Amino acid sequence: MEIISGKAVSADIRQDIKQDALSFKERFGRAPALAVIIVGDDPASHTYVNNKIKGCAEVGFRSICQKYANGTPQEEIASFIKGLAQDEEVDGILVQLPLPKGYDEKYLLSLIPDSKDVDGFSPTNTGLLSMNRPNTVSCTPLGIMHLLASTGTQLKGKNAVVIGRSNTVGKPMAMLLLNADCTVTVCHSKTKDLSSYTKNADIVVVAIGRAKFLKGEMVKEGAIVIDVGINRVDGKLVGDVDFEEVAPKCSYITPVPGGVGPMTITMLLLNTLNAAIHRLA
Ligand code: GUN
């Protein structure tokens, strides 16, 4: 059994991004730029946003971080996003989710042009992925593809099970694996006899937000298990996988923390770099 270090894979990719950001700056006279908008005071969301801003600094990007109090009129936020959409010196725009109650997420996200949608959440970017013509792909599933690649495993023909069907992780994950020639099953809260699927899976990706949900008896010997969960239990971070039970059966497994988590922001930086290059080159 080998533990896949998201930290190590992530550090390698960030080195490359840093180099590319330098070349970009030499060629275009400015660094790639990411704008992040956060509304309200959810502590976890603020931690994620701070890490995104730190990530930008680490690879030499310019970042803009706009914080709004819960209760700020939606049109004020909308105007700001529209300004960023027009701004030639902004390459990526990200609205941190979830938004507080009362805000129209669909409307605010619709103001981000596809070319600056570094989260890959827009209907166009989602649709292009499902047609196997990917433009910008959702960061977490994209990071998982890099982690799978780091194991050197041939994905073609593998049975892959994705547990969770969110628009941000489960669905794009399934599409990426399908595009990589896996046979993909998407399981969710209404799936009957989940184990009958997971026991036959060469690759299991769990993204449901339930601490230690995937148990040892549910996985096949030699499986690759990817844990997307970030659950806080008694002040500790715990994944969706019961690591102690599952790890001994795996060929590869991601830990929590230090697995998928570090990759998500790295992919955001990569998507921002690519958006910058596509717009200007
Ligand atoms: N909230 C949790 N994960 C994400 C993400 O990947 N992007 C955005 N915009 N919000 C999030």
Side-chain angles (χ1 to χ4, degrees):
M1 185 274 295
E2 243 184 83
I3 295 176
I4 307 174
S5 170
K7 253 179 147 165
V9 176
S10 181
D12 285 348
I13 298 173
R14 284 192 199 195
Q15 273 306 318
D16 292 343
I17 296 173
K18 197 172 175 177
Q19 280 303 317
D20 290 347
L22 266 177
S23 314
F24 183 94
K25 196 169 179 181
E26 277 170 15
R27 185 161 169 205
F28 299 108
R30 67 167 179 85
L34 172 69
V36 180
I37 294 133
I38 179 166
V39 188
D41 51 13
D42 178 62
S45 290
H46 276 271
T47 303
Y48 295 142
V49 165
N50 289 340
N51 287 335
K52 289 170 188 183
I53 299 301
K54 262 196 255 168
C56 283
E58 192 189 320
V59 297
F61 290 3
R62 180 169 80 97
S63 65
I64 298 153
C65 183
Q66 184 70 22
K67 296 178 179 171
Y68 289 106
N70 188 3
T72 304
Q74 176 159 288
E75 269 316 308
E76 188 179 329
I77 300 168
S79 300
F80 187 71
I81 299 173
K82 287 176 193 169
L84 295 170
Q86 297 291 328
D87 191 332
E88 278 308 315
E89 304 216 325
V90 170
D91 304 297
I93 306 171
L94 179 153
V95 175
Q96 185 66 22
L97 302 177
L99 290 165
K101 269 206 186 73
Y103 291 95
D104 184 346
E105 175 184 312
K106 225 183 332 180
Y107 166 63
L108 289 174
L109 294 186
S110 77
L111 303 172
I112 303 171
D114 292 318
S115 60
K116 297 189 181 187
D117 168 38
V118 284
D119 259 330
F121 290 170
S122 79
T124 299
N125 283 326
T126 307
L128 286 169
L129 173 63
S130 77
M131 296 171 81
N132 201 3
R133 288 165 44 195
N135 177 40
T136 302
V137 176
S138 182
C139 301
T140 299
L142 185 62
I144 291 170
M145 294 307 282
H146 282 264
L147 292 178
L148 290 172
S150 78
T151 69
T153 307
Q154 153 102 271
L155 297 179
K156 191 194 282 187
K158 292 284 193 295
N159 289 333
V161 167
V162 178
I163 311 177
R165 54 175 156 174
S166 67
N167 290 331
T168 49
V169 182
K171 279 188 226 169
M173 186 75 250
M175 288 303 167
L176 284 167
L177 291 165
L178 189 58
N179 293 345
D181 295 326
C182 290
T183 302
V184 182
T185 307
V186 182
C187 298
H188 48 78
S189 55
K190 305 294 185 292
T191 297
K192 289 180 184 151
D193 196 7
L194 177 66
S195 282
S196 68
Y197 299 99
T198 55
K199 275 181 185 166
N200 281 312
D202 304 304
I203 299 164
V204 183
V205 180
V206 200
I208 52 175
R210 289 175 64 179
K212 297 191 179 188
F213 175 84
L214 192 78
K215 299 292 180 187
E217 70 209 18
M218 297 168 79
V219 301
K220 177 167 103 166
E221 280 293 333
I224 300 178
V225 172
I226 307 289
D227 189 348
V228 186
I230 306 177
N231 310 291
R232 217 167 272 279
V233 177
D234 302 328
K236 240 186 94 188
L237 282 189
V238 180
D240 290 349
V241 175
D242 190 327
F243 189 88
E244 280 69 35
E245 281 193 16
V246 174
K249 296 185 79 175
C250 293
S251 56
Y252 294 95
I253 187 167
T254 61
V256 174
V260 173
M263 291 300 288
T264 298
I265 293 179
T266 300
M267 293 300 107
L268 173 66
L269 300 171
L270 187 60
N271 283 347
T272 302
L273 174 71
N274 287 332
I277 292 169
H278 283 143
R279 283 186 45 260
L280 294 192

